Amino acid sequence: MHTAPRTGAPSGAEPRTTAPATTAPRTPAPRTPVPRTTSPRTAAPPPLVDRFGRVHTDLRLSLTDRCNLRCAYCMPAEGLEWLGRAEVLDDDEVLRLVRIAVHRLGVRSVRLTGGEPLLRRGLAALVGRIAALGPELSLTTNGIGLARTAAGLRAAGLDRVNVSLDTLRPERFAALTRRDRIGDVLAGLAAAKAAGLGPVKVNAVPVRGVNDDEIVELTEFAVAHGYRMRFIESMPLDAQGAWDRAAMVTAREVLARLARRYELVPVGRPGSAPAEEWRIAGTDAVVGVIASVTRPFCGGCDRVRLTADGQLRNCLFATGESDLRALLRGGADDAAVEAAWRASVAGKGPGHAIGSEGFVRPDRPMSAIGG
Ligand code: SAM
Ligand code: SF4
């Protein structure tokens, strides 16, 4: 198959701090659900709210589980058993679910992801149809193919991209991703900026002994090109189950390395975004850290996820899913799909428990959920 998610603002979320030093998950306290009302068609739909009062306005939409890279922290060298064509939602099904999300559930932002979303056939047309529904629309990509598609995606209505790039060294890139494609990624980044898909964010997952010596280099590269650098703590979501906490480079370590080179001014966490941000003093450059493991931001989560095969997940780490594809293909009307969606979110837990004894890895790896 040929080839494509982002964030909003919750009400009822905990107040944010700029640099929490705790490792305890910030989990919300249960709340009385906001009563639902029947809205006229023109009014805002009732919020998609859970029992902790978190309002869900952001949809991470996976368009394929396939990928043209094999990042070592994500999947094995031989790849995975991909979904069959008939299992993946077609464009009309995707559109219908996004329309229900935007019109009936109050979703305001959609981030396209995968797998590698640029591998989805007919992506620009699908982007155009989703954009016409009105959400803020962004895409997370490994950048391969972006040089050729960025302008068309922008013209179709895509607002922004995040591009993953874990190293600037060609041999290291080839070893880490098992493909010699760094040139395509760098060209994709430049094309995204030229096309106006900004602010272009660069995502890197630092892994100890692999690329953690490039934290400053990557940041300098991003600053020089006007991209926003973001470091993501590695999570136990690799398909091969090889995640090792000791190899994870923590947000604290990332910041310590950056602080040796830059003076960092805390910006905080914009809206319910997962990244905490710092501005490099004396510049407009911003660097972010997504500390999913050591500084969980579950208390402010406003995200729901839809896999490429139409399974709704109320959390990246959820161990259960709601089968929206079965509803669509079984002839359910929009109200029934909306009800299933609301029931899934109502059942969302307070937060993930990585690091605790009770933590259970989800059955699907990151690439099949949509990061
Ligand atoms: N293929 C696209 C890409 O790499 O940007 C989109 C999908 S990928 C699953 C989305 C993001 O998840 C990427 O930034 C990637 O680095 C990150 N990611 C993948 N596996 C991860 C893991 N085990 N822990 C943390 N981040 C991970
Ligand atoms: Fe593919 Fe993205 Fe996973 Fe890398 S992180 S293997 S590019 S899905």
Side-chain angles (χ1 to χ4, degrees):
M1 177 189 289
H2 288 286
T3 286
R6 202 235 118 159
T7 316
S11 74
E14 293 179 7
R16 293 166 212 299
T17 53
T18 50
T22 176
T23 57
R26 295 190 301 139
T27 52
R31 295 252 182 108
T32 308
V34 174
R36 289 182 47 203
T37 54
T38 310
S39 315
R41 272 182 76 80
T42 50
L48 182 56
V49 68
D50 69 10
R51 66 202 157 103
F52 303 101
R54 293 174 293 192
V55 175
H56 296 72
T57 57
D58 182 64
L59 173 63
R60 307 245 162 165
L61 178 61
S62 176
L63 295 179
T64 177
D65 61 330
R66 295 178 188 229
C67 194
N68 41 13
L69 294 185
R70 298 285 185 271
C71 304
Y73 55 74
C74 183
M75 62 173 74
E78 64 274 18
L80 298 168
E81 200 174 307
W82 312 120
L83 292 168
R85 178 178 291 251
E87 293 176 277
V88 175
L89 296 183
D90 66 25
D91 286 2
D92 290 342
E93 291 171 324
V94 168
L95 246 291
R96 181 166 171 215
L97 290 177
V98 177
R99 185 173 47 71
I100 290 170
V102 172
H103 288 174
R104 302 179 73 112
L105 297 164
V107 162
R108 294 198 296 265
S109 54
V110 176
R111 174 170 289 276
L112 306 176
T113 188
E116 176 43 49
L118 296 183
L119 291 177
R120 175 124 182 166
R121 280 207 184 105
L123 179 64
L126 181 58
V127 162
R129 295 175 73 191
I130 295 175
L133 296 171
E136 190 183 311
L137 188 56
S138 56
L139 176 141
T140 300
T141 172
N142 62 28
I144 294 174
L146 192 56
R148 144 175 80 68
T149 53
L153 291 172
R154 179 75 188 112
L158 186 68
D159 295 312
R160 280 191 319 284
V161 290
N162 288 7
V163 179
S164 300
L165 178 64
D166 297 310
T167 174
L168 292 166
R169 304 182 192 174
E171 300 88 60
R172 189 179 275 184
F173 182 96
L176 209 158
T177 67
R178 292 132 165 167
R179 301 287 187 273
D180 190 9
R181 306 290 299 268
I182 191 169
D184 301 70
V185 182
L186 298 176
L189 274 165
K193 183 176 156 189
L197 288 168
V200 174
K201 294 179 184 165
V202 177
N203 289 350
V205 178
V207 179
R208 199 174 308 288
V210 175
N211 61 343
D212 58 331
D213 53 345
E214 285 189 76
I215 288 170
V216 168
E217 260 173 79
L218 280 162
T219 306
E220 286 183 339
F221 163 80
V223 170
H225 289 85
Y227 309 142
R228 286 200 192 170
M229 193 65 221
R230 308 192 328 159
F231 295 97
I232 305 173
E233 286 181 348
S234 76
M235 293 179 267
L237 288 172
D238 56 308
Q240 56 279 44
W243 183 79
D244 171 14
R245 193 181 176 109
M248 175 187 70
V249 179
T250 65
R252 185 186 288 263
E253 290 176 85
V254 169
L255 290 169
R257 285 179 199 238
L258 290 173
R260 278 188 230 139
R261 168 72 178 81
Y262 304 109
E263 187 187 335
L264 298 174
V265 182
V267 174
R269 198 194 290 278
S272 61
E276 297 165 55
E277 293 188 338
W278 282 260
R279 191 168 52 75
I280 296 175
T283 75
D284 292 335
V286 171
V287 57
V289 181
I290 300 179
S292 317
V293 178
T294 63
R295 299 172 182 172
F297 33 87
C298 306
C301 183
D302 68 348
R303 282 169 285 285
V304 284
R305 295 168 191 275
L306 192 59
T307 65
D309 56 341
Q311 307 302 303
L312 185 69
R313 300 178 59 87
N314 59 24
C315 175
L316 186 52
F317 294 94
T319 49
E321 302 178 333
S322 299
D323 191 350
L324 298 190
R325 185 187 66 190
L327 285 177
L328 295 186
R329 296 185 182 175
D333 64 9
D334 286 359
V337 177
E338 175 189 349
W341 203 310
R342 289 190 185 277
S344 167
V345 169
K348 179 163 171 158
H352 69 68
I354 300 175
S356 74
E357 278 196 9
F359 177 68
V360 180
R361 286 176 62 112
D363 287 342
R364 288 184 194 248
M366 182 77 131
S367 60
I369 297 173

